[in-house]
Amino acid sequence: MSEKIAVLGAGSWGSILANLLDENGNEVSLWSYNPKQVKELNEKHTNTHYMKDFTYSETLIAYSDLKQALTGATTVLFVVPTKAVRSVAGDVKKVLEELQTKPQIIHASKGIEQGTYKRVSEILAEEIPAELRKSITVLSGPSHAEDVAKRDITLVTAASTDADAAKHVQQLFMNRYFRVYTNSDVIGVEIAAALKNIIALGTGALNGLGYGDNAKAALMTRGLAEISRLGASFGANPQTFTGLAGVGDIIVTGTSENSRNYRAGDELGKGQSLQEVIDTMGMVIEGVATTKAAYELAKQRGVEMPITGAIYQVLYEGKDIRTAISDLMMREGRSEF
Ligand SMILES: NC(=O)C1=CN([C@@H]2O[C@H](COP(=O)(O)OP(=O)(O)OC[C@H]3O[C@@H](n4cnc5c(N)ncnc54)[C@H](OP(=O)(O)O)[C@@H]3O)[C@@H](O)[C@H]2O)C=CC1
Ligand SMILES: O=C(CO)COP(=O)(O)O
């Protein structure tokens, strides 16, 4: 199966997924709003700021013009940071109206929109009306771009309410090192994907403070418990949280130096301010914004999320991390389940 696919967002994940789709025999156009980056990708086949020491396929073409990137595309893959999804989708809508094409939509972003608390597929559905597109599928799971760049084994899930669309996405991405499962629980997959970044900030902070493996395992396990509670309040399938998008992504993000969220937490634990961490990362740290959205959402829905609350207090109210940890530990004893 070979298609023309437009990948929107040429950061670490977008560019590596574009390269994988190219490797799988598709005609891939990679869109970035940064003309300098487009020039580097087309002339040197590198993307140094986001993916050091990686050479992209010479058949992968980058564009800074959205219409050029979208022309002829039967699939459009969004991989911009969550905060950019609505504006990019709005621009895509205008181009699709002109082109009169009706592509399937995939996204691989992990976050919740500030203020609206919308999941990424909801934002896309709002901005790109159904008559301009086919189904929306979310691709998610434990998948650092750095490992995929090395063609290391990676398993993810493709979730859609349209089973044929999920199967189609599975076929597009699958290869000898990238295995894709299908899933019908879009809500669960998107909630798990977004909120695991909060927990990775936490495990990173524990690391920075010198805590050991027990503490990190505890945070990931209890973190997943509260993520599942929020998911359940939206009707998510509880099994999703035991799968690739749930426990799988908590493990990879909550334990890896490749994770920007984990690294950000680590620096916070070592004493840097949030602003210093954001300024030096140079890449998106989705968990920072997601912490605020999830904290507000949990309050609105009456879902108990003490870890998210503690991380919110550290990030947004300047609470000392050790005090936040001590307060969590000294909560009244309770039953695990
Ligand atoms: N990296 C990974 O391993 C994985 C990432 N993800 C998810 O994928 C999404 C993208 O992450 P990732 O590629 O890592 O992020 P990066 O920070 O590596 O790259 C983001 C890209 O989006 C661009 N961008 C930022 N704002 C806008 C905007 N308003 N309009 C258009 N483009 C914009 C950035 O450009 P500039 O920097 O020039 O502003 C950059 O090229 C996130 O939601 C992340 O959680 C999911 C799985 C794995
Ligand atoms: O989602 C990811 C891996 O599955 C990437 O996590 P970071 O954004 O923390 O790097």
Side-chain angles (χ1 to χ4, degrees):
M1 184 177 50
S2 168
E3 278 194 38
K4 166 120 198 245
I5 303 172
V7 179
L8 312 182
S12 36
W13 195 218
S15 65
I16 287 301
L17 284 178
N19 198 73
L20 179 148
L21 289 165
D22 171 283
E23 210 168 83
N24 285 3
N26 299 287
E27 187 189 337
V28 183
S29 55
L30 176 58
W31 174 81
S32 163
Y33 71 171
N34 180 346
K36 265 197 194 155
Q37 193 188 7
V38 167
K39 192 168 158 30
E40 184 191 337
L41 275 160
N42 287 337
E43 290 178 2
K44 297 187 180 158
H45 310 292
T46 57
N47 192 16
T48 325
H49 178 76
Y50 298 97
M51 196 48 59
K52 282 192 189 72
D53 307 323
F54 185 78
T55 305
Y56 292 80
S57 161
E58 291 189 9
T59 50
L60 175 63
I61 312 290
Y63 297 91
S64 51
D65 182 283
L66 192 56
K67 188 171 173 187
Q68 279 185 319
L70 289 172
T71 299
T74 47
T75 291
V76 179
L77 168 61
F78 283 79
V79 205
V80 290
T82 304
K83 68 174 171 24
V85 169
R86 193 175 287 283
S87 68
V88 174
D91 293 342
V92 167
K93 175 197 169 196
K94 288 179 209 144
V95 177
L96 292 180
E97 278 168 343
E98 267 185 68
L99 294 175
Q100 286 294 308
T101 51
K102 208 176 163 184
Q104 72 161 336
I105 307 284
I106 312 171
H107 87 80
S109 303
K110 294 178 176 174
I112 293 180
E113 190 173 44
Q114 296 301 295
T116 69
Y117 314 123
K118 299 268 161 117
R119 291 174 284 106
V120 174
S121 67
E122 294 180 294
I123 304 170
L124 292 170
E126 275 179 15
E127 291 297 324
I128 309 174
E131 61 272 19
L132 293 176
R133 59 166 170 83
K134 297 202 182 90
S135 306
I136 300 175
T137 301
V138 48
L139 190 76
S140 191
S143 50
H144 279 132
E146 291 79 0
D147 284 355
V148 179
K150 289 186 210 148
R151 280 107 181 153
D152 206 336
I153 287 175
T154 301
L155 271 59
V156 299
T157 195
S160 180
T161 51
D162 176 343
D164 290 338
K167 188 107 194 112
H168 184 211
V169 171
Q170 178 180 51
Q171 286 161 359
L172 275 180
F173 283 88
M174 283 262 282
N175 65 26
R176 69 182 166 81
Y177 61 87
F178 200 81
R179 183 169 169 79
V180 185
Y181 289 79
T182 59
N183 190 325
S184 58
D185 182 20
V186 176
I187 298 175
V189 166
E190 289 188 311
I191 288 178
L195 272 70
K196 59 83 187 172
N197 285 331
I198 305 172
I199 305 306
L201 283 168
T203 52
L206 289 176
N207 194 63
L209 286 163
Y211 287 91
D213 296 339
N214 294 358
K216 289 174 212 163
L219 189 73
M220 289 190 278
T221 309
R222 296 307 303 165
L224 192 55
E226 66 181 53
I227 293 172
S228 312
R229 275 200 295 275
L230 185 71
S233 82
F234 283 100
N237 178 353
Q239 260 193 320
T240 297
F241 300 94
T242 68
L244 291 163
V247 73
D249 216 353
I250 285 253
I251 292 172
V252 93
T253 320
T255 62
S256 170
E257 287 290 336
N258 282 332
S259 162
R260 283 81 45 95
N261 288 284
Y262 181 89
R263 286 207 305 273
D266 188 48
E267 294 301 338
L268 289 171
K270 286 178 176 142
Q272 276 199 23
S273 73
L274 179 58
Q275 198 53 54
E276 283 168 340
V277 172
I278 292 170
D279 291 345
T280 50
M281 188 65 67
M283 285 187 258
V284 65
I285 312 167
E286 289 276 22
V288 174
T290 306
T291 299
K292 184 165 187 291
Y295 171 77
E296 292 168 359
L297 195 55
K299 253 182 39 181
Q300 194 186 77
R301 300 180 74 79
V303 176
E304 196 191 0
M305 298 189 75
I307 295 169
T308 300
I311 294 175
Y312 175 86
Q313 288 175 323
V314 169
L315 296 182
Y316 291 97
E317 295 175 350
K319 185 167 179 173
D320 173 67
I321 307 180
R322 286 188 192 277
T323 310
I325 294 168
S326 162
D327 288 352
L328 276 175
M329 288 300 290
M330 298 314 292
R331 292 169 73 237
E332 197 180 340
R334 49 172 290 179
S335 160
E336 184 180 3
F337 298 109

